Amino acid sequence: MLQPMNVFVVCLFLLLPCSVHAEDLEPAADFGFNAVDGSPSGSTDIWSGAVGHGFRAGAQTFRLGVGMGYGIKILGAQDRHDLLPMTVSYGRMVGDVVGGGQWYGGNFEVRGEVFLAPQVNSDGYWTIGLTPHLRYNFATGTRWIPYVDVGMGIAFTEIRAPDLGASFQFNEQAAVGVNYFFTSDVAVNFEIHFLHISSAGLSKPNQGVNTLGPCIGVNWFF
């Protein structure tokens, strides 16, 4: 039987080096940050002005991520289902910065995500999903860009009774996280992520699968 945390740590170490190249080891001034204090400076095609002050309309992002979803018995669920979600997503800013100059200023982003999530605490059942998301990225004026995210889509799973009764299911997601831009257009992100899987009554049983846990990823902006 796989240990969930061990699998998550292995995936984390496999994911992080994929975005590190020789050019990333140059001085901070070459990354769009001040060499003196490391704060963002200048602007790029993805930003509406200086780095960290909000994205331009139409800026796009591609993300690879991995997480550890710990099964929780809520909303009627009978069993714990520990999942290891691996995700690929594409996003696009749908407009210019809103609420400029306010603490809540930022950008709305629409995203499409595909995830593959084996169950790692027992049985090895697989779940695959396709999910549209709506994300709000806060414009902080720094390299730290927090966000909130919600999504709803479809899923196909091998998980069955006592919690699910068929392959076809729906998935609902919610997350809070932060992107850290170590260059002007590449960021690592960390989030706490909730996932719910159920059939909306289309099949029985319909107790649902629920997970909560950390996710980490790499975002390329262009």
Side-chain angles (χ1 to χ4, degrees):
M1 182 184 301
L2 296 174
Q3 296 297 317
M5 183 53 68
N6 291 343
V7 177
F8 176 64
V9 170
V10 170
C11 291
L12 169 61
F13 279 96
L14 290 175
L15 176 63
L16 288 179
C18 71
S19 63
V20 178
H21 306 285
E23 60 268 23
D24 294 334
L25 302 178
E26 297 174 0
D30 293 332
F31 293 159
F33 299 111
N34 292 326
V36 175
D37 60 8
S39 62
S41 64
S43 61
T44 71
D45 289 341
I46 69 167
W47 297 101
S48 178
V51 174
H53 289 266
F55 298 100
R56 65 169 175 81
Q60 302 169 75
T61 179
F62 176 78
R63 178 181 183 270
L64 297 176
V66 63
M68 185 62 243
Y70 292 95
I72 48 180
K73 295 181 182 180
I74 62 172
L75 304 176
Q78 299 298 304
D79 286 344
R80 289 179 57 250
H81 304 273
D82 295 337
L83 305 181
L84 184 73
M86 294 166 280
T87 64
V88 178
S89 64
Y90 166 82
R92 187 180 182 92
M93 306 300 161
V94 295
D96 293 318
V97 177
V98 297
Q102 304 298 321
W103 67 267
Y104 54 82
N107 295 88
F108 286 100
E109 175 188 351
V110 291
R111 302 173 51 241
E113 175 191 85
V114 175
F115 71 86
L116 180 65
Q119 181 170 307
V120 294
N121 62 321
S122 65
D123 302 316
Y125 295 141
W126 289 82
T127 299
I128 186 169
L130 174 64
T131 314
H133 287 254
L134 178 64
R135 175 172 293 187
Y136 188 78
N137 300 280
F138 291 90
T140 63
T142 73
R143 72 181 81 180
W144 298 91
I145 305 296
Y147 60 84
V148 292
D149 188 295
V150 293
M152 180 180 295
I154 60 173
F156 296 89
T157 184
E158 295 179 320
I159 299 172
R160 292 293 188 273
D163 291 321
L164 299 177
S167 296
F168 179 80
Q169 304 287 327
F170 298 100
N171 81 86
E172 295 85 37
Q173 304 180 36
V176 292
V178 62
N179 274 301
Y180 172 76
F181 283 83
F182 63 93
T183 78
S184 61
D185 56 5
V186 181
V188 293
N189 81 291
F190 177 82
E191 68 181 34
I192 299 299
H193 185 272
F194 173 75
L195 170 67
H196 172 76
I197 299 173
S198 62
S199 71
L202 297 180
S203 59
K204 300 293 183 181
N206 187 38
Q207 303 303 108
V209 169
N210 305 282
T211 69
L212 180 68
C215 296
I216 192 167
V218 179
N219 279 288
W220 291 267
F221 290 78
F222 54 97

